[in-house]
């Protein structure tokens, strides 16, 4: 709570590499901007600083560049967990959505956020709350979201060091999946460490995979690689965090906080005169293996969530999958493509949105967010905004349907499906076999996908190609809703109802989008047609507004525009740019009209 008698303001708290630098930063700060994107684009955090005295150019930047050369953090900004710890307990954050740090146990205010996987030193645990040092302050975190790490105070493995490996690399540090081809005395560099207790394969070397300690030795060692695993010698990447606090905005002493989360230093530019330093940090740095390393790999018998989780694990990140639909792939080939680019392409085809924030890869169903109730309304002339812009998007043509077709060159078999807006689909369906409990294969997957699309979820097993009790129950629910014989068997009438839904008054005379793409089944073609139609039409009407600083207006929430002629209607925030400093603190939002009838 703020003093009710003070003027309203927006203040910023910042930390570089875990050290609170708010007081030393403020005299130089021109502006700080946090850009929050709904999907695809990475979030970023940018500082613009006065540097008339050359403090940042000759001091801080010199330390950062020296750190880049020596692969060590600047001494003045080293985080508490950067070096090996002797005679103390270290823990790792296990919450895959991040962990709030509070000023007191239980009811204390939020003073920051720890990302998934962060390593912390715990001073004590009492009544379910762990006491830690956080940016020079005493903080408290819930003890149920941290796990003790078994570490040693002896010299151990270090990120980036040269090693020699022999044996079979593993699918993951947990030994999941079939081991790779054996190697013998292969030289490489450590690209990942999993320090949790009980991990069988804690060392990741180059792109080969994970190895046990007994399979690894330092390049200049003659021993068998028996050194114990310890904490990394440095924090990978230079971390930057910022928190915006809106004090006493309505004269009631109530504060509102926007914590941007954790970013890594991405780029620095120096301009002048007058001397200005621009520091940019990003939620997914260009230097990370997830974004930078191009790979060739065949993914077989795996779901989208499985691919995302393995990529996150190998990149030292967490994965949060928030979609009922989880497509299954017999085979997908990743050719000269980075993990994040390949994952983004798969998400686009599946109609699933991708976002990276706070060391977490998040996959979510955008249509669910669009259906949520509007959070605020912008009425023309209401005085809540200082600037606005309305425009037609990149799409000049509004398509009412999409046709996906593919002819197998080997067999000459043609697969074709048409998706119409408002849920009306083509009546030309392929002949389907009758399916019942015990059936399995691609036709079962097609049926399961259609059930999920129609709002009959399969939360336990998902689209797995196996017709079990859960699928039978969903079929019965669908039959009951559509006034069919409720027998749990998917015969001709149930197939027809699943694949063809009629809507009165549909205009079939609109523009049709034509897509030629390799598909394995009718259901896959139909799903792709729906997603491509949505992707092409979703940039129809857009708008942007500039408001006084508002931490509550973030990417992914919906709002309405009223009194704006053809632009009136429901919208979703695709980007929120929060800026503090300068003559005024503002929130600029970019909006896209919500798509309906899909």
């Amino acid at each position: 709570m703020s003093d009710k008698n003070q003027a309203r303001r927006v203040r910023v708290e910042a930390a570089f590499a875990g050290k609170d630098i708010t007081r030393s930063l403020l005299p130089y700060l021109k502006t700080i901007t946090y850009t929050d994107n709904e999907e695809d684009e990475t979030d970023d955090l940018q500082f613009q600083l006065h540097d008339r005295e050359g403090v940042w150019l000759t001091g801080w930047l010199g330390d950062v560049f020296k750190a880049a050369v020596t692969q060590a953090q600047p001494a003045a900004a080293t985080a508490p967990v950067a070096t090996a710890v002797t005679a103390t307990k270290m823990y790792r954050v296990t919450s895959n959505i991040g962990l709030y740090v509070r000023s007191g146990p239980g009811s204390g205010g939020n003073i920051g956020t720890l990302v998934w996987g962060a390593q912390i030193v715990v001073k004590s645990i009492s009544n379910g709350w762990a006491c830690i040092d956080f940016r020079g302050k005493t903080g408290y975190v819930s003890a149920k979201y941290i796990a003790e790490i078994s570490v040693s105070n002896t010299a151990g493995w270090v990120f980036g060091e040269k090693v020699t490996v022999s044996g079979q690399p593993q699918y993951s540090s947990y030994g999941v999946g079939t081991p790779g081809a054996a190697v013998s005395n292969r030289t490489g560099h450590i690209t990942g460490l999993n320090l949790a207790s009980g991990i069988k394969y804690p060392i990741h070397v180059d792109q080969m995979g994970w190895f046990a300690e007994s399979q690894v030795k330092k390049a200049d060692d003659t021993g068998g690689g028996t050194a114990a695993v310890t904490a990394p010698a440095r924090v990978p990447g230079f971390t930057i965090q910022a928190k915006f606090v809106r004090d006493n905005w309505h004269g009631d002493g109530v504060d509102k906080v926007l914590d941007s989360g954790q970013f890594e230093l991405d780029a620095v530019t120096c301009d002048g005169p007058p001397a200005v330093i621009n520091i940019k940090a990003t939620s997914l740095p260009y230097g990370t293996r997830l974004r930078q390393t191009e790979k060739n790999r065949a993914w077989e018998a795996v779901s989208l969530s499985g691919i995302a989780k393995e990529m996150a694990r190998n990149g030292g990140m967490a994965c949060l999958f928030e979609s009922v639909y989880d497509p299954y792939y017999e085979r997908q080939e990743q050719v000269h493509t980075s993990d994040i680019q390949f994952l983004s392409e798969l998400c686009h085809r599946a109609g699933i949105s991708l976002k990276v924030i706070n060391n977490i890869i998040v996959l979510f169903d955008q249509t669910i967010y669009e259906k949520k109730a509007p959070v605020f309304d912008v009425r023309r002339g209401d005085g809540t905004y200082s600037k606005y812009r309305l425009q037609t998007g990149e799409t000049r043509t509004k398509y009412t349907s999409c046709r996906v077709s593919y002819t197998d060159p080997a067999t000459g078999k043609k697969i074709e499906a048409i998706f119409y807006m408002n849920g009306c689909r083509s009546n030309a369906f392929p002949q389907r076999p009758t399916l019942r409990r015990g059936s399995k294969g691609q036709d079962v997957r097609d049926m399961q996908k259609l059930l999920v699309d129609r709002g009959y979820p399969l939360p336990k097993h998902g689209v797995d190609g196996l017709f079990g009790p859960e699928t039978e129950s969903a079929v019965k629910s669908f039959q009951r809703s559509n006034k069919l014989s409720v027998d749990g068997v998917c015969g001709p009438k149930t197939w027809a109802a699943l694949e063809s839904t009629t809507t009165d008054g549909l205009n079939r005379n609109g523009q049709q989008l034509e897509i030629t793409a390799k598909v394995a089944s009718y259901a896959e073609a139909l799903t792709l047609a729906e997603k491509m139609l949505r992707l092409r039409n979703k940039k129809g009407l857009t708008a942007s507004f500039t408001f006084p600083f508002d931490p509550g207006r973030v990417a992914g929430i919906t709002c309405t525009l009223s009194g704006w002629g053809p632009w009136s209607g429901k919208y979703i925030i695709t980007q929120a740019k929060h800026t503090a400093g300068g003559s005024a603190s503002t929130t600029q939002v970019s909006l896209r009209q919500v798509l309906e009838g899909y």
Side-chain angles (χ1 to χ4, degrees):
M1 293 288 289
S2 298
D3 183 349
K4 295 181 181 180
N5 297 315
Q6 75 173 15
R8 69 179 189 175
R9 62 171 180 166
V10 176
R11 57 186 173 87
V12 176
E13 297 178 8
F16 284 9
K19 183 176 181 180
D20 190 338
I21 65 163
T22 302
R23 290 187 178 181
S24 58
L25 179 73
L26 288 180
Y28 306 96
L29 183 65
K30 288 186 67 178
T31 60
I32 175 174
T33 300
Y34 164 46
T35 303
D36 173 24
N37 291 296
E38 180 204 11
E39 63 168 342
D40 292 340
E41 298 294 327
T42 58
D43 295 348
D44 66 59
L45 189 64
Q46 298 192 45
F47 295 80
Q48 191 175 65
L49 309 168
H50 295 288
D51 196 30
R52 299 183 183 91
E53 300 171 357
V55 173
W56 291 83
L57 179 64
T58 60
W60 184 82
L61 287 178
D63 288 340
V64 171
F65 292 153
K66 181 179 178 181
V69 173
T70 60
Q71 294 189 344
Q73 291 284 9
T78 302
V81 301
T83 56
V85 179
T86 304
T88 190
K89 290 186 176 182
M90 290 187 66
Y91 288 74
R92 180 190 297 275
V93 174
T94 58
S95 171
N96 65 357
I97 58 173
L99 182 60
Y100 286 134
V101 182
R102 303 191 180 277
S103 58
S107 59
N110 178 29
I111 62 174
T113 306
L114 291 170
V115 299
W116 174 90
Q119 297 174 25
I120 55 176
V121 177
V122 173
K123 295 190 291 187
S124 63
I125 297 179
S126 178
N127 296 323
W129 290 90
C131 180
I132 65 172
D133 284 321
F134 184 75
R135 304 179 191 170
K137 304 175 183 177
T138 297
Y140 294 85
V141 297
S142 174
K144 66 182 178 180
Y145 296 116
I146 59 176
E148 187 175 352
I149 303 172
S150 177
V151 298
S152 169
N153 63 349
T154 60
W157 309 109
V158 178
F159 284 102
E161 73 174 319
K162 191 175 182 180
V163 294
T164 301
V165 294
S166 296
Q168 286 186 288
Q170 300 295 316
Y171 183 80
S172 74
S173 59
Y174 300 90
V176 178
T178 304
V183 297
S184 179
N185 293 320
R186 181 79 64 83
T187 299
H189 294 81
I190 293 179
T191 53
L193 290 171
N194 188 343
L195 304 178
S197 178
I199 297 300
K200 294 181 180 180
Y201 307 98
I203 305 172
H204 194 279
V205 179
D206 287 347
Q207 299 304 317
M208 288 183 280
W210 295 88
F211 293 86
E213 288 185 77
S214 60
Q215 297 173 310
V216 185
K217 65 180 181 180
K218 296 185 178 182
D220 55 355
D221 278 354
T222 56
T226 57
V229 175
T230 185
R234 63 184 181 91
V235 177
F238 189 93
T239 59
I240 299 177
Q241 292 175 294
K243 182 170 68 173
F244 298 78
V245 183
R246 193 179 72 173
D247 289 338
N248 195 36
W249 204 253
H250 300 291
D252 54 5
V254 175
D255 303 335
K256 199 166 185 178
V257 177
L258 173 64
D259 193 331
S260 65
Q262 179 170 296
F263 295 78
E264 286 195 17
L265 180 65
D266 188 60
V268 178
T269 58
C270 307
D271 298 300
V276 175
I277 303 293
N278 292 281
I279 301 170
K280 179 184 176 184
T282 178
S283 59
L284 183 62
Y286 283 97
T288 184
R289 297 190 305 276
L290 194 70
R291 187 169 183 173
Q292 193 78 305
T293 306
E294 294 187 349
K295 297 180 180 179
N296 294 305
R297 174 173 179 178
W299 298 82
E300 296 183 341
V302 64
S303 65
L304 178 60
S305 63
I307 294 174
K309 289 174 182 177
E310 182 182 342
M311 287 180 174
R313 212 161 38 226
N314 292 338
M317 306 177 76
C319 179
L320 189 61
F321 193 85
E322 296 185 315
S323 172
V324 174
Y325 175 46
D326 187 10
Y328 176 88
Y329 307 108
E330 293 287 356
R331 181 180 175 89
Q332 287 287 331
E333 294 186 358
Q334 180 179 352
V335 181
H336 297 304
T337 308
S338 68
D339 281 350
I340 199 66
Q341 182 182 348
F342 180 68
L343 186 59
S344 178
E345 291 171 358
L346 292 180
C347 286
H348 272 284
R349 283 181 61 92
I352 294 173
S353 297
L354 171 67
K355 183 179 177 70
V356 178
I357 184 173
N358 236 12
N359 207 31
I360 305 166
I361 299 176
V362 183
L363 286 78
F364 61 97
D365 189 340
Q366 193 178 70
T367 59
I368 294 176
Y369 283 71
E370 291 187 3
K371 292 176 182 177
K372 292 185 177 181
V375 176
F376 62 95
D377 177 61
V378 184
R379 185 170 294 277
R380 185 168 177 265
D382 65 5
T384 61
Y385 52 89
S386 58
K387 294 181 181 179
Y388 72 88
R389 186 178 187 184
L390 310 174
Q391 61 187 41
T392 56
E394 298 174 7
T395 302
R396 302 294 183 182
T397 302
K398 182 75 171 182
Y399 294 96
T400 59
S401 64
C402 176
R403 181 200 305 270
V404 170
S405 59
Y406 173 70
T407 301
D408 190 326
T411 64
K413 179 184 177 182
K414 184 176 182 179
I415 300 174
E416 180 180 271
I418 303 175
F419 180 87
Y420 293 94
M421 287 179 60
N422 301 318
C424 183
R425 292 169 167 81
S426 168
N427 292 320
F429 304 116
Q431 186 175 355
R432 294 291 197 175
T434 296
L435 303 175
R436 52 176 50 86
R437 187 188 288 203
S439 299
K440 58 184 178 180
Q442 186 60 50
D443 286 305
V444 176
R445 288 194 186 94
D446 292 350
M447 179 194 66
Q448 291 171 325
K449 170 61 174 62
L450 290 169
L451 284 168
V452 171
D453 283 349
R454 303 277 183 288
Y456 299 86
L458 303 168
K460 187 175 182 181
H461 298 291
V463 181
D464 61 357
L466 300 175
F467 197 134
E470 183 183 56
T471 299
E472 184 181 66
S473 177
V475 170
K476 287 182 178 179
S477 295
F478 175 82
Q479 290 171 332
R480 192 175 295 111
S481 299
N482 287 272
K483 297 180 174 56
L484 299 170
S485 176
V486 183
D487 58 4
V489 176
C490 187
K493 290 184 179 180
T494 301
W495 270 118
L498 279 170
E499 294 184 317
S500 178
T501 304
T502 59
T503 300
D504 293 335
L506 177 69
N507 177 12
R508 292 176 176 266
N509 298 320
Q511 294 285 340
Q512 185 172 85
L513 176 65
E514 299 286 346
I515 300 290
T516 301
K518 184 178 180 180
V519 288
S521 67
Y522 171 81
E524 184 179 346
L526 187 64
T527 298
L528 181 58
E530 177 183 357
K531 304 311 178 186
M532 291 299 100
L533 182 63
R534 179 182 174 82
L535 185 65
R536 184 62 62 92
N537 284 342
K538 78 176 188 178
K539 297 180 180 179
L541 294 180
T542 61
S544 63
F545 288 85
T546 300
F547 302 98
F549 187 88
D550 189 343
R553 300 189 176 185
V554 296
I557 69 171
T558 61
C559 65
T560 53
L561 302 187
S562 301
W564 298 94
W567 275 271
S568 296
K570 187 177 179 182
Y571 286 73
I572 188 168
I573 297 181
T574 58
Q575 183 186 85
K577 185 176 290 187
H578 304 277
T579 301
S583 59
S585 297
T586 62
T587 294
Q588 182 180 359
V589 299
S590 297
L591 307 171
R592 169 181 62 76
Q593 192 172 47
V594 165
L595 293 171
E596 300 187 69
Y598 294 82

